[in-house]
Amino acid sequence: MKAAGLSAVLLALALGACVHYAPAPPHPEAFAPGFDARALPGDPGGKAWTRAGLLALAVRQNPQILEARAKYATALAAARAAKAGAGPSLTLTAEYADQAPHWGWEAASDIPLDFGVRRSARITTAQLQALQAYYDYGEAIWSVRTAIDRALGDLDFARQERFLAQQSTQVRDDRVQRMQRRVDLGQDARTLLITAMTDAAAARRRLITADGDQEAALAALAKALGLSPAAVRSRVFPAPGQEEPSLAGLATWRRDAAASRRDVLRAVADYDLAEQALRTQIAIQYPALSVGPGYFYDHGVNKLPWTLSLALPPWDLNRKAIAQAEAARLDAGRSLEAAQANALGEVDAATAAFRQAWADLERARDHDAPLAAQAAAVADRLALAGEGDKVDALAARGALIDADLAANDARRAALAAKADLEDALRRSFDPAETAAILNALNDAKAAPAPVAKTGGAR
């Protein structure tokens, strides 16, 4: 009876240490209203938003970043769980005999011996998978950072485009009206009027396109920030820089990209995982041990049996599985080389496009636009002096606006090339953005592990 009472107490204590099950059903129908109700906070500290500030905001509420962080936390939990080996098993057996005493019973257990290569490979594999999830989290942050950068550039371009397109439309409409009067008076051929009307129609189409580009840029920015477009439509955001970033450290950055881009590091982790899989398959050549202490009450006789169990390898001593693991390791090595070659190729292509785009911008901004401004100024002076015609002055003014539009196009291409190069290098030219990314990664590393609540099983 004492033994039975002690067993009941131990069983109660074991059940009391079990983790509660707490249901947490999702509510998909509530997400859309809550998402649309989000608002962009006021300017931080009374100052205008910076790109780094917008990125920090996105880290806190962008769904893709939050998903990647949750997967990283799950992988960390799996790495901690891998350190706990398989639990023992317990078998209870009772029998009845027609001789006195009538009853006998047996309690047998099996305790796997968790040590050696199998344990270390299991733990290392889980840790490598957590490291990959960490790299994926960093890539998610970088992808959102790039999306913010591109959206801000597109938004600034669209607003400038819209402003210039409005001016172009006004100038060309005025020119059409003046030419209409001249055609009516027989001073100009109708073909010239048709050409002017075609130019005016093209200007109006460009204005409509600029409106659409502005809405698309607002939607892209809102998505990156984890907001609806309505939350960002009336806000003022930082304009992109006008100066060409220095590439003085490009050779070092290129080498670093081939060795430390997160997609390259993920390929390194893939190779390490293949290495651990090979170690595990080699270890399976040898028996896995487990011990089984027990208790046997044999109709009045107490016995304490012990067993030693061996899990034997396959009949081919695991040779085929080892060969497969070796092939997988070689495959992972080739994948790593491909990832590095891809990183170098992306950097080289982005560098060439970057230099060409900024050269085009310099030519449009410093050569083409000043020439158009000089021509417009001359046409205005001639018109004021009575030596020219207002229609010609308007044509020169339209050409100047076209030059400004071309410079705006070149600036958009240069900013896109800059974003492509930063993306290829996985390096921001803005130190504040780099600091925001590092802070987000360090916060994820320092986050405490979730603690299960105990107090009774359900």
Side-chain angles (χ1 to χ4, degrees), residues 60-350:
R60 295 193 298 271
Q61 62 185 26
N62 179 277
Q64 285 72 37
I65 292 179
L66 295 178
E67 178 191 25
R69 178 158 181 169
K71 290 184 182 299
Y72 174 50
T74 301
L76 284 179
R80 288 187 288 268
K83 296 179 181 179
S89 62
L90 178 64
T91 302
L92 300 177
T93 305
E95 66 176 17
Y96 178 81
D98 61 359
Q99 65 182 22
H102 296 293
W103 286 97
W105 57 83
E106 178 183 0
S109 64
D110 185 75
I111 305 174
L113 300 181
D114 190 30
F115 67 95
V117 173
R118 300 188 194 200
R119 172 182 170 81
S120 63
R122 183 184 72 243
I123 294 174
T124 303
T125 295
Q127 290 172 340
L128 289 170
Q129 290 170 341
L131 188 61
Q132 286 185 322
Y134 175 73
Y135 295 147
D136 290 343
Y137 176 57
E139 279 292 279
I141 295 175
W142 178 259
S143 296
V144 170
R145 175 264 162 203
T146 301
I148 292 174
D149 185 57
R150 293 184 189 278
L152 289 174
D154 290 345
L155 180 60
D156 184 74
F157 162 81
R159 287 174 173 171
Q160 184 67 17
E161 181 87 352
R162 190 176 188 280
F163 173 75
L164 292 172
Q166 284 178 326
Q167 291 186 332
S168 179
T169 300
Q170 293 171 358
V171 167
R172 281 171 166 79
D173 286 345
D174 189 8
R175 186 166 182 265
V176 166
Q177 293 174 3
R178 291 176 180 275
M179 289 195 70
Q180 180 68 59
R181 289 194 292 269
R182 291 180 59 167
V183 169
D184 293 341
L185 295 173
Q187 297 175 351
D188 277 332
R190 183 165 294 277
T191 55
L192 296 178
L193 174 61
I194 293 174
T195 302
M197 293 174 67
T198 302
D199 291 341
R204 284 191 292 273
R205 285 196 301 271
R206 189 152 192 168
L207 177 59
I208 294 172
T209 301
D211 288 334
D213 290 342
Q214 180 172 318
E215 289 301 312
L218 284 170
L221 179 60
K223 179 182 178 182
L225 296 176
L227 298 169
S228 65
V232 299
R233 180 166 285 109
S234 60
R235 304 302 293 271
V236 177
F237 296 101
Q242 302 295 322
E243 300 300 323
E244 178 180 358
S246 172
L247 300 184
L250 180 61
T252 300
W253 300 341
R254 179 180 182 272
R255 184 176 62 250
D256 290 345
S260 59
R261 270 183 26 166
R262 278 176 284 270
D263 55 344
V264 173
L265 293 176
R266 203 182 198 288
V268 173
D270 280 334
Y271 183 86
D272 291 339
L273 284 169
E275 187 81 18
Q276 296 304 315
L278 177 58
R279 290 184 63 206
T280 301
Q281 294 302 327
I282 290 176
I284 292 175
Q285 295 179 105
Y286 307 99
L289 303 178
S290 61
V291 297
Y295 170 77
F296 188 16
Y297 177 75
D298 187 6
H299 302 88
V301 179
N302 294 307
K303 298 179 181 180
L304 297 175
W306 282 80
T307 60
L308 177 65
S309 301
L310 302 177
L312 300 178
W315 292 108
D316 68 341
L317 295 180
N318 213 37
R319 293 291 190 270
K320 292 183 177 63
I322 291 173
Q324 180 186 4
E326 288 177 338
R329 182 177 63 175
L330 178 60
D331 181 20
R334 297 300 183 217
S335 297
L336 172 57
E337 292 174 356
Q340 292 182 290
N342 181 62
L344 292 175
E346 286 184 5
V347 172
D348 293 340

